[in-house]
Amino acid sequence: MKTYVGDEAAATVHLSRDEFGGYELLRRYYWQNGCLPNDDERLARIARATPDEWKKLRPVIEILFDNGWRDARLDEERAKAEKSHADRVKAGRKGGKTKQSLSTARAKLKQPEPEPEPEPYSASDTAPTDWALEERGIGRGSLRRFAAPPSVVEGRNFLIGHNVPSDRLDRCLRMLMDGNLTAYDIEEWSSIRGVA
């Protein structure tokens, strides 16, 4: 239940402490239940007043309510609160996802996962020791991908240093820069050219 201090102070400034307390207790009951009973005994109990006290309180408090002990402002606030609660329940059933977050989640599903960062390239890197073919077999490190070098120039120099044929240099450079070049690719080209 929202409290509008300025409005409520203006509407209740003329009430005594007991009258204000009874009024507030009735409003809280109204908020919880959506209405007040039209029964003096029950109203007195809600206001925590004896029957004699209620006889004095009722005429002062009753004028603050509409006919039939109604409160239009509380009715309006309750309707807003119930709608807000229903919206939260509906969102909770969707796993707390709003329409926008569901749309974002669907868009993310369409996005490819980023590749892990390759190991940094060093100009001093040379072919790994297990590049050599093992008696016509493939060495265990030959399928490992090289890390992409920091520049095309360094990548080209790396490939030339490993005897990549010039007719395959551009293709190999693209593969190297994309992080898709393996030792097997270099071994294959070297064996085609007859380079040991």
Side-chain angles (χ1 to χ4, degrees), residues 64-77:
L64 297 172
F65 287 92
D66 300 326
N67 288 336
W69 292 98
R70 301 298 303 175
D71 188 322
R73 187 171 195 168
L74 283 180
D75 287 336
E76 184 180 320
E77 291 296 326

Side-chain angles (χ1 to χ4, degrees), residues 178-192:
D178 290 340
N180 293 324
L181 185 70
T182 65
Y184 177 78
D185 297 319
I186 291 180
E187 296 284 344
E188 180 181 273
W189 292 320
S190 297
S191 66
I192 291 171

